[in-house]
Amino acid sequence: MSISLFDTETPLLAVREQILDRISEVVERGIFILGPEVKAFEQELADYVGVRHAIGVGNGTDAITIGLRALGVRPGDDVVVPSFTFYASAEAIVNAGGRPVFCDVDPDTRNITRETVRAALTPRTTAIVAVDLFGCPAPLPEIRELGVPILEDAAQAIGASLDGRRAGSLGDVATFSFYPSKNLGAFGDGGAITTDDDNVAELARTLRFHGSRDKQTFDYVGYNSRLDEIQAAILRVLLPELDAWCDRRRAAADAYDDAGIERYVRPPVVPAGAEAAWHLYVATHPEADALIRGLGEHGVQSRAYYRTPLHKQKAMAPYAPSADALPGTDELARTNLALPMNPTLDREQVADVVAALAELSASAR
């Protein structure tokens, strides 16, 4: 038995020829930067998410940096962000001139809450980065009640929804990553910003191109961060497949429940009204590292995420809270393990994963 944590290759087999044809069209056209493929993909992504604007950028990290600046974050402003997330969520705040203020998360959903955000607010808070971690939307409607502008970091959550609204439409501005392992992955780096705010969209478009609207005059110190034509062409082929892939991921998550996984690990909780995209299936266990090693011996790939949370990273030391300030984060960092999750994972493979967990549990007893 060998079950991979990811499978980014098999879902592409059915569209391989179509992708190659679209790449050839771009090469023949000879337009590689901000051409018709990017324009078309931006419109298609905006329509999919359910917003007026999508702006393609070079990667998901730049998307957050540019999104925060377009949202109004200025040097010296405080921005609340979870510590249990990928480094880019906080790195981008610093790159935008802001100061990360780390907040805790709910150990069950892995996401921030209204209460954890409120505890981190300061008089200088001008924005919140709300991460839809592992593909489950954060409770943004409740967090909105705090009255602070929100950037929804939906890098792991394209295809998810909350109360019928797509991830990427829940904040004042949202950001996506198209890194190849994402649910919607390009063949290299890529990212996007989505918003309903015309002014935010216009500023984001300007900032992604050196702070210029016309290549002649420069109103801001911006960035050279543009989604290129080849990646946009590939993403245009893949976007129509996304919902089916997410449905298969949801079926795999349901299969874990049906197989009784809760007897061996603590599975993630999806709140009422949320439909997760299941970028990752991250459970917890008091002896997570031992379990990861044991699963590997059974041919099941698994791994830990964010063992060192952001507030304990060396680069974030200037912004770190007190040692015991984030108990939910510390617990998750110590106990989490990601189990296999991808659109090709079938019920038999899920049963094998759970069987391996059962055997390891029996051995431990």
Side-chain angles (χ1 to χ4, degrees):
M1 178 181 66
S2 179
I3 303 176
S4 300
L5 185 62
F6 299 107
D7 182 358
T8 58
E9 297 179 7
T10 305
L12 299 178
L13 294 177
V15 292
R16 176 182 171 84
E17 293 304 319
Q18 190 178 353
I19 289 171
L20 293 176
D21 288 344
R22 294 296 289 276
I23 292 173
S24 294
E25 291 174 11
V26 173
V27 173
E28 288 295 324
R29 189 182 298 123
I31 301 173
F32 300 105
I33 303 295
L34 295 183
E37 296 293 340
V38 169
K39 183 177 181 180
F41 175 69
E42 289 176 337
Q43 186 59 60
E44 290 160 6
L45 179 63
D47 292 342
Y48 177 85
V49 171
V51 295
R52 288 203 298 272
H53 304 282
I55 302 97
V57 295
N59 54 70
T61 308
D62 284 354
I64 302 173
T65 301
I66 293 171
L68 286 171
R69 285 189 59 187
L71 196 58
V73 172
R74 298 293 179 262
D77 288 347
D78 285 350
V79 179
V80 176
V81 63
S83 179
F84 190 71
T85 184
F86 183 58
Y87 182 70
S89 300
E91 178 186 37
I93 296 170
V94 178
N95 287 340
R99 173 180 174 270
V101 179
F102 294 110
C103 73
D104 212 353
V105 294
D106 180 343
D108 291 329
T109 65
R110 324 321 191 199
N111 277 327
I112 62 175
T113 69
R114 185 178 188 272
E115 290 71 29
T116 64
V117 171
R118 181 168 53 186
L121 294 178
T122 76
R124 297 192 302 176
T125 300
T126 58
I128 299 162
V129 173
V131 181
D132 298 330
L133 197 65
F134 302 140
C136 184
L140 267 70
E142 299 172 15
I143 297 170
R144 273 187 174 278
E145 295 172 1
L146 298 171
V148 180
I150 296 174
L151 182 145
E152 179 190 6
D153 180 352
Q156 299 180 356
I158 192 165
S161 64
L162 180 63
D163 297 328
R165 293 181 59 189
R166 298 268 196 188
S169 69
L170 302 172
D172 298 281
V173 64
T175 59
F176 291 103
S177 167
F178 304 124
Y179 187 77
S181 65
K182 294 293 193 292
N183 289 24
L184 182 67
F187 286 16
D189 277 322
I193 299 163
T194 55
T195 184
D196 269 327
D197 189 308
D198 297 342
N199 294 326
V200 168
E202 176 62 20
L203 182 51
R205 289 191 184 97
T206 303
L207 288 172
R208 75 172 174 183
F209 192 78
H210 302 286
S212 176
R213 295 179 174 88
D214 59 8
K215 303 184 185 181
Q216 302 295 324
T217 55
F218 299 86
D219 299 319
Y220 308 94
V221 175
Y223 308 86
N224 181 16
S225 182
R226 300 161 298 195
L227 182 67
D228 71 63
E229 283 287 286
I230 288 178
Q231 300 301 342
I234 293 167
L235 291 166
R236 291 188 68 200
V237 175
L238 301 183
L239 183 58
E241 309 294 325
L242 176 62
D243 283 343
W245 291 340
C246 288
D247 285 342
R248 292 174 200 159
R249 290 173 179 270
R250 293 180 190 113
D254 290 342
Y256 275 123
D257 289 340
D258 294 342
I261 196 170
E262 75 282 353
R263 291 176 293 190
Y264 312 110
V265 295
R266 185 179 178 186
V269 173
V270 178
E275 188 172 50
W278 294 111
H279 173 57
L280 294 167
Y281 187 93
V282 180
T284 58
H285 189 275
E287 302 296 332
D289 288 334
L291 205 56
I292 290 169
R293 290 192 296 270
L295 287 170
E297 294 168 0
H298 283 73
V300 177
Q301 287 187 358
S302 61
R303 60 164 290 185
Y305 276 83
Y306 319 137
R307 274 289 184 264
T308 303
L310 299 189
H311 72 287
K312 295 183 177 180
Q313 294 287 349
K314 179 181 178 181
M316 293 292 152
Y319 317 107
S322 60
D324 58 352
L326 307 176
T329 294
D330 291 336
E331 177 189 342
L332 277 173
R334 180 179 59 83
T335 62
N336 82 84
L337 69 157
L339 298 173
M341 172 54 69
N342 58 72
T344 67
L345 191 68
D346 59 32
R347 297 186 77 86
E348 182 178 350
Q349 291 174 307
V350 168
D352 288 341
V353 173
V354 177
L357 288 169
E359 185 173 336
L360 292 167
S361 178
S363 299
R365 286 197 298 269

